[in-house]
Amino acid sequence: MIMTTENIINTISNSKKTTPVKIWIKGKFNSTDFLNIEFYQGVDYWVLFSDWKVIKPWLKKHDSKIKTIRVEADRRNSAIPLIDLLSLDARIEPGAYIREFSSIGKNVVVMMGAVINIGANVGDNTMIDMNAVIGGRAKIGRKCHIGAGAIVAGVIEPASAKPVVIEDNVLVGANAVILEGVRVGEHSVVAAGAIVTSDVPPYTVVAGAPAKQIKKVDAKTISKTSIEPTLRNIQ
């Protein structure tokens, strides 16, 4: 699904904001106390799942019955949920955050701590390494490697901004930054720590801040930057 900036803005602004909570509670309850609340009964406790808007008044109403309570929440007034990981034909490691309305191709690898925002598209067999950030509407091609800590800028606002486009077979080094509107041509290499502020032609190596062309991709470059297909095997 390709989302325009206007689609994303409307989706966020019109979404029902949620604060899902999980509660462990001990007290003198029975199942009829939990109308409209998802619950599970333990030996001497209950586990509740609901939104804070529902749970907060319920807790106040039943305060006299509560012996002990623990409340856990990992978001507040969240506009966009995380994507359904079970729908992906990819390898997603613990601690990765992928928002709904992003597109994740086949055999993609998303490592620990990586973030992929709404409207982003990641092509088949691409690896998003640890703590990399793929911003809203960014387009990553096939067989790319986005290095650890790299930032691919997102463009949700201003609405007129153009998204980053990274074509196929591109390697982006660790902690590199690619700014909004930049296109990185196929088979190019962005060196670690580079700050890319303008388009990169295909088969080009860039480095520095701001990034500048230092050479064209040659056989030696390819031998040092080729991806490892077995790491994309999810079987």
Side-chain angles (χ1 to χ4, degrees), residues 48-154:
L48 314 181
F49 294 88
S50 190
D51 192 88
W52 185 238
K53 294 183 182 73
V54 176
I55 285 287
K56 186 177 180 180
W58 184 92
L59 292 175
K60 184 176 181 180
K61 178 181 178 181
H62 294 85
D63 180 68
S64 62
K65 296 182 179 181
I66 298 172
K67 291 183 178 180
T68 59
I69 183 173
R70 176 176 176 175
V71 181
E72 288 191 357
D74 65 356
R75 69 205 75 182
R76 180 67 167 142
N77 294 320
S78 178
I80 304 296
L82 299 181
I83 200 169
D84 176 12
L85 295 181
L86 298 181
S87 69
L88 304 180
D89 194 8
R91 174 160 70 91
I92 313 298
E93 295 296 346
Y97 290 89
I98 307 174
R99 296 185 88 183
E100 198 172 56
F101 304 112
S102 56
S103 176
I104 307 299
K106 186 175 182 180
N107 295 327
V108 164
V109 177
V110 184
M111 297 296 288
M112 297 81 72
V115 176
I116 301 177
N117 206 356
I118 181 173
N121 288 265
V122 180
D124 296 347
N125 296 291
T126 282
M127 178 180 288
I128 310 299
D129 216 331
M130 294 182 293
N131 298 314
V133 176
I134 309 301
R137 293 190 65 220
K139 299 178 182 179
I140 313 296
R142 297 173 296 172
K143 297 182 180 179
C144 294
H145 184 113
I146 309 301
I151 297 176
V152 178

Side-chain angles (χ1 to χ4, degrees), residues 125-126 143-145 169-171 222 225-229 232:
N125 296 291
T126 282
K143 297 182 180 179
C144 294
H145 184 113
N169 298 287
V170 169
L171 186 144
I222 293 172
T225 61
S226 59
I227 68 169
E228 179 51 62
R232 277 77 172 164

